[in-house]
């Protein structure tokens, strides 16, 4: 191949599910499709500077026999011949410290190669929390919009990961994770959505209320010999 042309006309990348400004939520998965609009013998390559590729990359080969190829590694590239498009599932890095990631593709034919790149950016921790809150708890129990959540949550203390009491984002993350394990709208889900919300519902607050803790414990874990009821707790 004797020329390299940077162009998005012949080679394009589409990534579904990204937020505004090409923002990804750490640890989430996204479908990536590369399309070559040229003619003649085709060759496509797909790769990224971070994250992982899971599953298989499928290709549309027209008259050629369909194939399924193993996905590219974290920083590797997958090369496919005789293909007009390929698709794969990309899993974003789990840490927000990853910053920006480049997802790149090379498309072309013998003699001419085209390239396309997309820079995607890790969401701030609060963005992932607020999107999950609205998805899990809805808009009637706490924040009405993701934006309202982000405005308030950015002013919260980060807290210690795994904390289940205290006025922090970490405490709210913990209870939001618990809420997501129950059926949407159930009493257990609503209980933990309250703790994950703006008021903290007596648990994710500066001085957690014993009554709220005991109700939380019995709803989530059930009664045991030590704490058979809220009064004993």
């Amino acid at each position: 191949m004797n020329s390299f042309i940077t162009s998005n006309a012949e080679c394009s990348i589409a990534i579904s599910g990204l937020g505004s400004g090409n923002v990804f939520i750490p640890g989430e998965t996204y479908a990536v499709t590369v399309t070559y609009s040229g003619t003649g013998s085709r060759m496509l390559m797909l790769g990224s500077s971070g994250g992982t590729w899971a599953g298989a990359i499928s290709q549309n080969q027209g008259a050629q026999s369909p194939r399924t190829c193993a996905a590219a590694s974290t920083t590797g590239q997958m090369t496919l011949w005789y293909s007009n498009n390929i698709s794969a599932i990309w899993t974003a890095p789990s840490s927000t410290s990853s910053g920006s990631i480049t997802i790149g593709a090379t498309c072309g034919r013998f003699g001419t190669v085209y390239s396309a790149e997309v820079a995607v950016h890790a969401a701030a921790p609060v963005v992932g929390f607020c999107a999950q809150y609205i998805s899990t708890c809805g808009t009637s129990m706490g924040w009405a919009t993701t934006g309202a959540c982000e405005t308030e949550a950015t002013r919260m203390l980060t807290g210690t990961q795994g904390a289940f009491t205290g006025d922090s984002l970490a405490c709210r993350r913990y209870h939001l994770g618990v809420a997501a394990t129950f059926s949407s709208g159930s009493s257990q889900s609503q209980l933990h959505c309250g703790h994950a919300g703006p008021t903290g519902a007596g648990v994710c607050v500066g001085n957690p209320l014993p009554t709220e803790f005991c109700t939380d414990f019995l709803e989530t874990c059930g009664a045991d010999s030590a704490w058979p009821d809220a009064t004993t707790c």
Side-chain angles (χ1 to χ4, degrees):
M1 298 183 178
N2 53 30
S3 63
F4 191 88
I5 303 172
T6 301
S7 171
N8 287 323
E10 300 278 350
C11 188
S12 62
I13 301 175
I15 307 172
S16 63
L18 293 176
S20 177
N22 291 342
V23 169
F24 65 82
I25 297 176
E28 291 291 302
T29 57
Y30 299 87
V32 181
T33 301
V34 179
T35 301
Y36 172 55
S37 60
T39 59
S41 299
R42 284 90 68 192
M43 181 273 291
L44 302 182
M45 292 192 297
L46 172 64
S48 64
S49 61
T52 57
W53 297 94
I57 296 177
S58 61
Q59 69 179 81
N60 171 16
Q61 301 183 99
Q64 300 292 323
S65 299
R67 303 181 202 167
T68 299
C69 303
S73 63
T74 301
T75 57
Q77 291 183 325
M78 173 53 60
T79 303
L80 298 176
W81 295 89
Y82 305 114
S83 176
N84 284 331
N85 59 73
I86 55 177
S87 59
I89 300 298
W90 177 69
T91 300
S94 59
S95 172
T96 57
S97 63
S98 55
S100 296
I101 300 291
T102 298
I103 296 177
T106 300
C107 315
R109 57 189 182 275
F110 292 110
T112 306
V113 178
Y114 303 88
S115 70
E117 289 186 347
V118 177
V120 294
H121 315 284
V126 67
V127 176
F129 166 79
C130 290
Q132 185 183 1
Y133 181 88
I134 297 298
S135 175
T136 302
C137 303
T139 58
S140 61
M141 292 191 63
W143 293 288
T145 65
T146 302
C149 171
E150 292 172 3
T151 298
E152 190 166 350
T154 52
R155 297 194 292 266
M156 294 179 182
L157 292 174
T158 301
T160 302
Q161 183 176 356
F164 52 85
T165 61
D167 191 6
S168 68
L169 187 59
C171 178
R172 288 170 170 82
R173 281 187 184 280
Y174 170 83
H175 288 281
L176 183 57
V178 176
T181 66
F182 295 105
S183 299
S184 178
S186 67
S187 60
Q188 296 97 331
S189 176
Q190 291 182 330
L191 177 72
H192 289 282
C193 280
H195 301 155
T199 68
V203 172
C204 291
V205 295
N207 295 299
L209 300 175
T211 54
E212 290 290 340
F213 169 81
C214 292
T215 300
D216 190 358
F217 178 87
L218 293 171
E219 285 279 355
T220 305
C221 306
D224 61 17
S225 58
W227 290 338
D229 52 51
T231 302
T232 306
C233 171

